Amino acid sequence: QFTAGLTYFPMLTAGAVQAIQQNQKPTSNNLPVVQVLAVKQIQSNNKQNRQDRYRIVLSDGQFYQQAMLGIQQNNLVANDTLKQNCIVRLKEYLCNDIHGKKIVIILNLEVIQQAEKLIGNPQNIDTASQQPSLPKKENIQPPNNQQTKQTPIQKPNQFPAQNPTRSSLPATS
């Protein structure tokens, strides 16, 4: 059931950024769903190969991670399908250690739908992993016993099954 005034979003896959950074591979029916926080064209130092390259930032609602979009996916940026705040399903990717920093290379993704705003309150996974211990979500209490509304995020398991169909998603303009 849908409540009037609420926008439906496919649920983001909790723990996806951590799993991706650890190079855990999901099964074909359990692909991670994340939000794109930013898309930025970057300059290539290679004068022979003038392919456009894009850096994107991926979020699972809890953490975010930088990624590079494979050039075979550039058409999604060119036709304005892949843009800030959209929800995507990662179909094929790998995580490389480049100059001491983990960078995800997105080889294939599916844009599920556009979102109007940021989902959750994601923190940089690189910064968070340097802290002695991350707070557990269930130990965080709202101040003064106030209720807070949170975007639903799936419980962490290795990429839970998700199969939203386009017909079940609201139309986007």
Side-chain angles (χ1 to χ4, degrees):
Q1 284 186 342
F2 295 101
T3 306
L6 294 178
T7 304
Y8 171 76
F9 292 106
M11 292 175 68
L12 301 179
T13 306
V17 170
Q18 290 173 309
I20 290 166
Q21 196 174 58
Q22 295 169 5
N23 252 336
Q24 294 178 8
K25 300 297 182 193
T27 59
S28 62
N29 62 343
N30 294 329
L31 301 173
V33 174
V34 294
Q35 184 176 31
V36 175
L37 302 185
V39 179
K40 181 179 180 182
Q41 186 174 1
I42 59 172
Q43 298 295 323
S44 173
N45 292 334
N46 186 349
K47 294 180 181 181
Q48 294 176 350
N49 186 358
R50 289 289 186 179
Q51 287 283 345
D52 289 336
R53 298 296 308 227
Y54 295 94
R55 180 175 61 210
I56 62 176
V57 179
L58 302 173
S59 166
D60 62 10
Q62 183 178 10
F63 295 109
Y64 66 86
Q65 164 76 45
Q66 286 192 50
M68 293 295 298
L69 190 62
I71 58 174
Q72 65 273 30
Q73 299 291 294
N74 282 359
N75 65 317
L76 296 173
V77 176
N79 66 21
D80 207 30
T81 302
L82 181 66
K83 56 188 174 181
Q84 183 176 0
N85 293 332
C86 69
I87 309 298
V88 299
R89 179 176 289 114
L90 301 178
K91 293 182 171 184
E92 191 177 353
Y93 58 85
L94 53 98
C95 184
N96 289 331
D97 195 320
I98 301 173
H99 305 294
K101 192 172 190 178
K102 293 193 179 220
I103 302 292
V104 178
I105 311 297
I106 306 299
L107 303 172
N108 190 3
L109 64 79
E110 172 191 6
V111 176
I112 298 173
Q113 89 180 77
Q114 301 300 322
E116 293 179 16
K117 60 183 180 176
L118 173 71
I119 297 174
N121 184 23
Q123 306 298 311
N124 185 331
I125 187 74
D126 295 325
T127 305
S129 64
Q130 294 172 3
Q131 296 173 356
S133 65
L134 297 174
K136 292 184 180 179
K137 197 169 194 170
E138 59 269 12
N139 294 336
I140 299 173
Q141 299 294 323
N144 302 325
N145 294 328
Q146 294 175 353
Q147 294 290 330
T148 58
K149 183 177 178 183
Q150 296 182 351
T151 303
I153 299 177
Q154 293 179 355
K155 298 224 183 252
N157 281 334
Q158 278 195 342
F159 305 117
Q162 298 167 338
N163 292 317
T165 61
R166 289 209 179 271
S167 61
S168 67
L169 301 175
T172 58
S173 51

